[in-house]
Amino acid sequence: MRASEIVSARQHPPAASRGRSILREIEDLQHKGDWQGLTTRMVDAAQRLEAGGADVLLICTNTMHRMVADVQAALGVPLLHIADPTAGRIKAAGLKKVGLLCTAFTMEHAFYKGRLTDKHGLNVRHSWFQPILEM
């Protein structure tokens, strides 16, 4: 167990346990390819945050941006796509060629790389973690 997990479990035992359980459920749905189930969960969570008073929402994981259009369509507040401020910083630095370290989910679909190339005109290359780890 990592130190951060120990501290979190001591400070917030039920929340830490439930958080790990939710992460396992999400990972299982990803590996099963149940993107509709994941979209339903994301929309529900986003709508609860909006109802709680959020002015803007962020999805803080690259992979879950796969359903960003569906989540945004269900909201009345903006959803900031993680690739947009990333591209803004890259372009502000005068850079054009991007090396993207990513999971297979992010590499296999255009929801992130496509956003960087199509909307922001960046040249993106990617490498999936697994081949790197096998070296």
Side-chain angles (χ1 to χ4, degrees), residues 86 90 95-100 112 116 122-126:
T86 300
I90 292 166
L95 306 171
K96 296 181 183 200
K97 295 179 185 175
V98 178
L100 179 61
Y112 193 93
L116 292 174
L122 297 172
N123 180 348
V124 180
R125 298 290 181 256
H126 52 69

Side-chain angles (χ1 to χ4, degrees), residues 30 35 38-39 42 59-70 79-87 100-120 124 126 128:
Q30 288 174 339
W35 297 103
L38 288 161
T39 299
M42 288 293 289
I59 298 175
C60 297
T61 166
N62 292 339
T63 300
M64 298 303 276
H65 275 75
R66 181 171 176 174
M67 67 275 300
V68 74
D70 292 328
L79 175 63
L80 181 62
H81 194 296
I82 197 170
D84 295 337
T86 300
L100 179 61
L101 294 171
C102 57
T103 64
F105 296 118
T106 303
M107 180 183 69
E108 293 169 353
H109 304 279
F111 59 86
Y112 193 93
K113 179 184 175 189
R115 184 89 168 204
L116 292 174
T117 57
D118 300 342
K119 184 174 181 181
H120 298 285
V124 180
H126 52 69
W128 178 40

Side-chain angles (χ1 to χ4, degrees), residues 20-85:
R20 284 190 300 274
S21 174
I22 290 169
L23 290 175
R24 276 193 299 273
E25 291 172 28
I26 290 170
E27 187 176 65
D28 287 346
L29 290 171
Q30 288 174 339
H31 288 286
K32 290 176 183 172
D34 186 359
W35 297 103
Q36 186 54 51
L38 288 161
T39 299
T40 299
R41 284 173 177 249
M42 288 293 289
V43 167
D44 177 62
Q47 288 174 332
R48 283 186 281 124
L49 289 168
E50 180 180 28
D55 294 323
V56 63
L57 295 180
L58 307 169
I59 298 175
C60 297
T61 166
N62 292 339
T63 300
M64 298 303 276
H65 275 75
R66 181 171 176 174
M67 67 275 300
V68 74
D70 292 328
V71 176
Q72 180 64 79
L75 297 173
V77 297
L79 175 63
L80 181 62
H81 194 296
I82 197 170
D84 295 337

